[in-house]
Amino acid sequence: MKLEQAVGLVIRKHRTVEKISQFKLAELTGYDRSFISLLERGRRMPTLKTIFVLAEHLDIPAPQLVEEIQQLVNSDIMEY
Amino acid sequence: MKLEQAVGLVIRKHRTVEKISQFKLAELTGYDRSFISLLERGRRMPTLKTIFVLAEHLDIPAPQLVEEIQQLVNSDIMEY
DNA sequence: GAGATATGTTGACTATAGTCCGCTGTCATT
DNA sequence: AATGACAGCGGACTATAGTCAACATATCTC
């Protein structure tokens, strides 16, 4: 799977687990809601800083977030 | 410590451990040498993609690279 | 002291991360 | 059917990641 897609899936997964809306996550992190949407749909590649900020507010260590992303990238899961 | 500084230190550390020059790392990763220099001096915040590419050619898992960066950020080490 | 290697630095450029605002569609609730 | 919460999506914008060429300095070796 493409890196952008993996990033989006992992972010969305943790956001829904935390039961918060894109709006709320945007509010928490200080990012724009449309940007959160772009990230989750795999249309943007975040900087490392963004990963740290998101991880913090999704209550997950940044390295673990990256780990999950990497596992998705290395998997054979496809999108269509 | 600032995130950018931590990124720079960790990259440089692993590059020197691997005993390769900035030039060589640039060649391996496909990035510009001046960009490697900027990163190591904490003047640029890489995207997550860049982290993955660098990690691959520095022979270290990306999550571990991020882990080391986080530890530096959370430490009390100062630069002056 | 000339040449080779490694890094810093900078200025101008291109690509893309991230903002802001607004409109659309969907779904659930009343 | 109206309202409200939520997400997709667009265009136009600003900030910054990453390129490229060039010059400077330091060190080391011959």
Side-chain angles (χ1 to χ4, degrees):
Chain A
M1 171 181 319
K2 282 283 178 197
L3 182 54
E4 293 92 337
Q5 296 173 357
V7 168
L9 286 184
V10 170
I11 291 175
R12 175 161 294 177
K13 168 185 149 194
H14 285 283
R15 179 177 62 78
T16 54
V17 164
E18 293 289 317
K19 292 192 176 68
I20 59 180
S21 64
Q22 289 181 351
F23 182 88
K24 185 64 180 173
L25 182 56
E27 204 173 48
L28 288 172
T29 58
Y31 291 111
D32 198 83
R33 185 191 66 83
S34 72
F35 181 53
I36 304 293
S37 176
L38 287 168
L39 282 177
E40 292 192 355
R41 286 178 289 127
R43 306 302 189 95
R44 285 292 187 281
M45 177 56 58
T47 61
L48 185 60
K49 169 132 187 252
T50 302
I51 290 294
F52 271 94
V53 172
L54 288 172
E56 180 184 348
H57 291 93
L58 290 175
D59 291 320
I60 175 177
Q64 184 183 331
L65 202 72
V66 173
E67 170 75 28
E68 294 183 19
I69 291 168
Q70 192 180 45
Q71 285 177 10
L72 272 185
V73 169
N74 293 337
S75 75
D76 290 333
I77 301 177
M78 285 294 168
E79 298 240 312
Y80 47 93
Chain B
M1 170 181 318
K2 282 283 179 199
L3 182 54
E4 293 91 338
Q5 295 172 358
V7 169
L9 287 184
V10 171
I11 291 175
R12 175 161 294 178
K13 168 186 147 197
H14 284 283
R15 180 177 61 78
T16 53
V17 164
E18 293 288 317
K19 293 194 175 65
I20 59 180
S21 64
Q22 290 182 352
F23 183 86
K24 185 65 180 171
L25 182 56
E27 206 174 46
L28 288 172
T29 58
Y31 290 111
D32 199 83
R33 186 190 65 81
S34 74
F35 181 54
I36 304 293
S37 175
L38 287 168
L39 282 177
E40 291 191 356
R41 284 177 292 127
R43 304 304 190 94
R44 285 291 187 282
M45 177 56 59
T47 62
L48 185 60
K49 169 127 188 258
T50 301
I51 290 295
F52 271 94
V53 171
L54 287 172
E56 179 183 349
H57 291 94
L58 290 174
D59 291 321
I60 175 179
Q64 184 183 330
L65 202 74
V66 173
E67 169 75 29
E68 294 182 20
I69 290 168
Q70 191 180 45
Q71 284 178 11
L72 273 184
V73 169
N74 292 339
S75 75
D76 291 333
I77 301 176
M78 285 294 168
E79 295 240 312
Y80 47 92

